[in-house]
Amino acid sequence: MSKRPDGAVLVVIPTYNERDNVAEILRRLLDAVPAAHALVVDDASPDGTGELADALAAEDERVHVLHRAGKTGLGAAYVAGFDWALEREYTAIIEMDADGSHAPEDLPRLIGMLGPNGTGADVVLGSRYVTGGRTVNWPWYRALLSRGANVYSKLALGVSINDITSGFRVYRSEVLRTLRLHDVASQGYCFQVDLAWRAVEAGYVVVEAPITFVEREHGASKMDAEVVREALVRVTKWGLRRRGNQAVGLARSLLR
């Protein structure tokens, strides 16, 4: 197994047609956390994002690029990036969007919350929906959809997380090493719900930290009707399974 380069923190940044954003987000990231490394996971972007990322990597040894053959979903891109990170033994692995919605300047605070010297957290979620968190420049329907999805997931899954769909998060590598990533079938933004719920179910400490989420200035959102449909179907199925398991457990305790 190959060892990681210098630096124990890796930020995984999936890209598809993010040429207008990737250079700036990498600059801000490496200014905010100079010891971190960044991995751009590009899904064969037709706008040349991958080629630009290669040029940036040639100029800075902290930048790495993983090219994939095509666009097969956010979840698959993250799993590929996580595999790359775990093979190189990074100790903290971060998810972050390339479009500027997530402020790299928040990362020192989020990373500092990992245990044992921080709050003892295993996973830190950058949250829009805790005290101090907010969104900027979102159209009302996006805000309503996001709020609704988070409330529904929280109730269906019985978790205390307010922003379980957040794509800005920090993991201790042990969490990703033990969650059986290749069993995660979710491909859209439901991937975020899936991993956070698995972490809670496995007994890991998941905490939320307030962030300001800013709507992208360049490019188009990857959110579409199919992403929403997948999330609704999967969360409903998980919630029903959870309720069923609770009912079985209750019945067994009554029969003892």
Side-chain angles (χ1 to χ4, degrees):
M1 178 181 294
S2 56
K3 297 289 186 180
R4 64 171 171 80
D6 291 339
V9 174
L10 181 75
V11 183
V12 180
I13 307 174
T15 57
Y16 185 77
N17 287 349
E18 296 288 359
R19 184 179 178 87
D20 291 339
N21 297 311
V22 68
E24 176 64 9
I25 202 64
L26 286 171
R27 182 195 64 77
R28 289 174 59 193
L29 165 63
L30 296 173
D31 282 349
V33 193
H37 285 209
L39 175 66
V40 176
V41 183
D42 186 67
D43 281 4
S45 298
D47 73 345
T49 300
E51 290 78 3
L52 175 58
D54 283 335
L56 297 170
E59 297 174 356
D60 193 324
E61 63 182 7
R62 296 170 295 177
V63 178
H64 311 275
V65 186
L66 178 60
H67 293 278
R68 300 204 313 140
K71 191 170 185 289
T72 59
L74 183 69
Y78 270 126
V79 169
F82 294 161
D83 282 343
W84 192 95
L86 292 172
E87 287 173 2
R88 289 159 179 80
E89 299 183 357
Y90 286 90
T91 58
I93 302 170
I94 297 167
E95 295 184 21
M96 190 177 74
D97 288 349
D99 61 12
S101 298
H102 301 144
E105 294 77 15
D106 286 334
L107 280 176
R109 175 168 52 91
L110 269 60
I111 294 169
M113 295 177 70
L114 290 181
N117 296 322
T119 63
D122 299 304
V123 184
V124 181
L125 305 183
S127 179
R128 299 159 287 188
Y129 305 131
V130 295
T131 301
R134 66 190 185 109
T135 60
V136 174
N137 296 333
W138 248 14
W140 67 268
Y141 56 87
R142 284 288 303 279
L144 181 63
L145 179 62
S146 176
R147 282 277 194 180
N150 276 287
V151 170
Y152 182 71
S153 298
K154 184 175 182 178
L155 294 174
L157 302 177
V159 295
S160 60
I161 301 171
N162 296 290
D163 195 358
I164 199 169
T165 65
S166 171
F168 194 21
R169 50 181 68 182
V170 184
Y171 295 95
R172 287 200 305 111
S173 61
E174 176 193 339
V175 177
L176 297 177
R177 207 177 287 281
T178 58
L179 287 186
R180 296 185 301 177
L181 293 173
H182 292 274
D183 291 344
V184 179
S186 310
Q187 289 304 311
Y189 288 86
C190 190
F191 176 80
Q192 312 295 6
V193 180
D194 199 343
L195 272 195
W197 187 44
R198 285 173 184 242
V200 170
E201 290 284 285
Y204 288 111
V205 177
V206 180
V207 302
E208 296 181 86
I211 62 165
T212 297
F213 179 96
V214 181
E215 175 70 329
R216 65 162 60 236
E217 293 184 1
H218 304 288
S221 170
K222 310 304 188 293
M223 178 73 73
D224 58 25
E226 179 57 29
V227 168
V228 175
R229 187 200 68 80
E230 182 205 22
L232 179 61
V233 169
R234 289 190 181 277
V235 170
T236 300
K237 182 168 64 175
W238 297 334
L240 290 173
R241 186 175 66 199
R242 170 178 166 269
R243 297 289 185 185
N245 290 339
Q246 287 178 333
V248 170
L250 177 60
R252 285 176 177 171
S253 66
L254 293 175
L255 291 172
R256 286 175 184 167

